[in-house]
Amino acid sequence: MIARLTVLYDERCILCIRCRDWMLKQDAFVPLDFLGSHSQRAIDLYGAIPWLGDELVVVGDGGEVWAGPAAFLICLWALVDYREWSYHLSGDTFSKVAVRFFVSLSRERKWIAQWLRHPGCDDDRCRIAHTTSPYR
């Protein structure tokens, strides 16, 4: 039985930081510890994991390791409001969609992070100047 999970995320990626912050606000069935994958502590504890720093990695307290889409699903599984979604997304019907979504998100995270750094974005909100639309 998994009693605790350690989420190793890219602490240099604003999208990853925002995802971490979002997960911290969620109620969880399983406590989540977050550790930057490039930190010395992560390297000391988990440096033998080949995906460390390149992929989202989750480590269970029993030594289980999930990476990439599987790590994404185990994070959802740990959260009260998203456990059922983790089951749906890992089933036959949606598993390929979930994998494609996570791989695309991961591949484009640098672009998304740049967008999130837009000068109109701070905290958890983005403001876009309202202009008069010629289509009104």
Side-chain angles (χ1 to χ4, degrees):
M1 175 120 190
I2 299 168
R4 183 169 223 85
L5 294 169
T6 299
V7 179
L8 298 153
Y9 69 100
D10 185 351
E11 73 277 21
R12 301 179 301 189
C13 167
I14 191 71
L15 175 63
C16 303
I17 292 167
R18 287 187 181 208
C19 290
R20 178 210 58 198
D21 292 347
W22 175 81
M23 284 192 287
L24 283 168
K25 294 176 186 175
Q26 305 303 309
D27 292 327
F29 288 122
V30 178
L32 299 171
D33 297 321
F34 293 87
L35 184 58
S37 60
H38 297 95
S39 69
Q40 190 59 52
R41 181 163 167 73
I43 293 166
D44 291 345
L45 293 172
Y46 305 108
I49 297 173
W51 314 281
L52 186 65
D54 294 327
E55 293 280 346
L56 174 66
V57 174
V58 177
V59 179
D61 56 348
E64 308 89 347
V65 177
W66 299 268
F72 170 72
L73 289 174
I74 199 71
C75 286
L76 292 179
W77 175 85
L79 301 175
V80 172
D81 291 338
Y82 296 92
R83 181 167 280 183
E84 188 172 333
W85 272 105
S86 75
Y87 293 132
H88 290 302
L89 292 173
S90 63
D92 290 340
T93 305
F94 293 111
S95 63
K96 290 177 182 167
V97 173
V99 167
R100 276 190 239 130
F101 168 77
F102 183 81
V103 168
S104 296
L105 180 67
S106 184
R107 182 177 47 237
E108 299 298 332
R109 70 187 170 114
K110 290 181 182 176
W111 178 86
I112 295 167
Q114 287 300 323
W115 182 79
L116 289 173
R117 291 183 198 271
H118 184 276
C121 299
D122 59 1
D123 297 330
D124 290 329
R125 297 179 302 261
C126 288
R127 292 175 301 288
I128 299 172
H130 294 282
T131 60
T132 305
S133 171
Y135 301 104
R136 286 187 180 188

